[in-house]
Amino acid sequence: MKYKVISRGLNQRKLVPISYNINDFIGEDVNSDYYESIYQYGEEHKKLLDESGHVAGISGLTNKKLVFDFYSAKDIEYSRKDAVELVSRLVHSGLSSDQMQISFSGSKGFHVEINTTEEFTRKQFENTVKNLAEGLETFDPKIVDDNRIFRVALTKHPKTKAYKKAVLGH
């Protein structure tokens, strides 16, 4: 069985089956920030979590999405331009914009997410997103970190209180 991490805030993480709907976890609470893991976890990761209480130092992660995070502390326009450039690159390589979700992060950036049918290892994911975002200065390479969680659309940013909202896509 595959699992994902969901979390209310940054520190209330729990491992749930990959099929678990995050909206069931959120419920009516529209005033908090909620997250899902980028990676999927297997039975061996669940066992480690059950025994030690954490998944630090794990290996063998996979995912079925490409995720990009663009952030600029100076000017959101820089991150917007980089997100637009990435989308242009993806469209020119044959990907339809219907396959992407582009969101305002709720702070000083934009997220681009692509669900795929292909399963990526952690290394494949890292290589792919870094190659596709090459030269885009506001791309945050920390997106590939093993324990990275990513804020769910329509939830509030913890500092700005602005919602992460799609500007294109589902």
Side-chain angles (χ1 to χ4, degrees):
M1 178 181 280
K2 294 279 188 172
Y3 299 89
K4 65 182 174 183
V5 171
I6 59 173
S7 184
R8 180 176 188 261
L10 294 172
N11 299 313
Q12 297 178 21
R13 298 179 188 208
K14 69 185 217 176
L15 205 58
V16 297
I18 199 74
S19 60
Y20 186 84
N21 187 329
I22 186 72
N23 293 318
D24 292 338
F25 184 61
I26 295 171
E28 300 295 319
D29 183 9
V30 297
N31 294 312
S32 295
D33 52 318
Y34 287 88
Y35 303 84
E36 284 185 312
S37 57
I38 292 171
Y39 295 104
Q40 298 176 0
Y41 301 84
E43 289 293 337
E44 67 279 11
H45 303 121
K46 182 173 182 345
K47 183 179 178 187
L48 178 64
L49 179 67
D50 290 345
E51 291 172 359
S52 66
H54 61 81
V55 289
I58 60 172
S59 61
L61 299 172
T62 61
N63 75 23
K64 286 190 171 186
K65 63 171 75 174
L66 297 175
V67 180
F68 302 85
D69 185 8
F70 297 97
Y71 171 83
S72 174
K74 295 178 189 174
D75 186 344
I76 192 170
E77 184 62 15
Y78 297 139
S79 56
R80 188 194 67 77
K81 285 181 179 177
D82 281 353
V84 167
E85 174 59 28
L86 174 73
V87 169
S88 176
R89 291 176 185 181
L90 293 168
V91 168
H92 282 86
S93 72
L95 195 64
S96 166
S97 60
D98 293 347
Q99 296 171 278
M100 299 177 231
Q101 179 175 313
I102 299 99
S103 303
F104 165 61
S105 70
S107 185
K108 297 182 180 185
F110 291 87
H111 300 157
V112 178
E113 300 175 62
I114 305 159
N115 290 320
T116 71
T117 55
E118 183 176 341
E119 189 167 83
F120 298 95
T121 66
R122 186 205 180 279
K123 194 64 177 166
Q124 289 170 325
F125 170 66
E126 179 178 0
N127 290 339
T128 302
V129 297
K130 286 184 176 179
N131 285 334
L132 288 168
E134 185 176 359
L136 302 176
E137 292 181 21
T138 64
F139 172 68
D140 183 358
K142 293 179 189 169
I143 197 72
V144 303
D145 291 352
D146 292 335
N147 289 309
R148 180 70 182 243
I149 54 177
F150 208 57
R151 200 154 48 77
V152 175
L154 301 177
T155 66
K156 279 189 176 181
H157 189 280
K159 293 180 183 166
T160 67
K161 304 300 182 203
Y163 287 93
K164 175 178 178 178
K165 48 187 159 179
V167 293
L168 177 67
H170 7 274

